[in-house]
Amino acid sequence: MESMRFPAPAEGFVLTHFIAVADVARARDWYTTVLGGEVVLDDDPCIVKVANGWITMATGGGPTPDKPDVNLSPPADPHTVTAFLNLRVADVHACYEQWSSRGAHFLTPPLDRGAEIRCYMRDPDGHLIEVGQATGVLDRDSS
């Protein structure tokens, strides 16, 4: 499944992440430029393969027959979050430097939280993205 370019498995399932965006082209450019993603589907909806997963993005909209009472919209309040993308990385400091140089805006530099070193950034629509590196604390023998 590692070589899968499009998230359409022959059996089982793969996990993708959908986000509602204000401007598909702007979001697509951010996910490809900052995170090095590969555009799989260019239009609305857009799919970008990022590492071993996919981000599906589309402009918000009203209810549809399969979600009759659901409205989709980018985050209205960046200070209230109900879900966020979590990127686990091998070197959080290297990602922080590289992605900052590509235009990412982090809330803080990476902070050591004991079991992990992490920081957060936002995409152009305000979606929160955690970038974290395990420190190995949980793997150490406690004896």
Side-chain angles (χ1 to χ4, degrees), residues 47-61:
I47 299 176
V48 176
K49 184 170 181 15
V50 179
N52 60 345
W54 295 267
I55 307 289
T56 301
M57 56 196 83
T59 53

Side-chain angles (χ1 to χ4, degrees), residues 11 15 23 25-26 29 33 38 52 55-58 60 65 67 72 74-75 79 84 101 104 121 123 127 132:
E11 60 184 41
L15 183 64
D23 181 327
R26 179 183 70 169
D29 291 347
T33 300
E38 172 193 359
N52 60 345
I55 307 289
T56 301
M57 56 196 83
K67 53 179 182 45
L72 297 176
H79 303 291
F84 58 87
S101 74
M121 63 181 167
D123 76 2
H127 294 281

Side-chain angles (χ1 to χ4, degrees), residues 102-126:
R102 294 177 179 174
H105 298 285
F106 286 85
L107 305 182
T108 68
L111 300 175
D112 191 332
R113 306 272 301 159
E116 69 178 344
I117 304 166
R118 72 177 187 220
C119 52
Y120 291 85
M121 63 181 167
R122 291 192 185 278
D123 76 2
D125 286 286

Side-chain angles (χ1 to χ4, degrees), residues 26-113:
R26 179 183 70 169
R28 180 191 61 233
D29 291 347
W30 190 89
Y31 280 92
T32 57
T33 300
V34 173
L35 298 183
E38 172 193 359
V39 176
V40 175
L41 186 61
D42 193 41
D43 207 350
D44 189 353
C46 172
I47 299 176
V48 176
K49 184 170 181 15
V50 179
N52 60 345
W54 295 267
I55 307 289
T56 301
M57 56 196 83
T59 53
T64 59
D66 56 340
K67 53 179 182 45
D69 60 355
V70 176
N71 290 295
L72 297 176
S73 63
D77 175 8
H79 303 291
T80 302
V81 175
T82 59
F84 58 87
L85 187 60
N86 185 314
L87 306 178
R88 307 310 295 169
V89 300
D91 185 338
V92 69
H93 295 287
C95 288
Y96 174 83
E97 293 300 323
Q98 181 183 53
W99 295 343
S100 291
S101 74
R102 294 177 179 174
H105 298 285
F106 286 85
L107 305 182
T108 68
L111 300 175
D112 191 332
R113 306 272 301 159

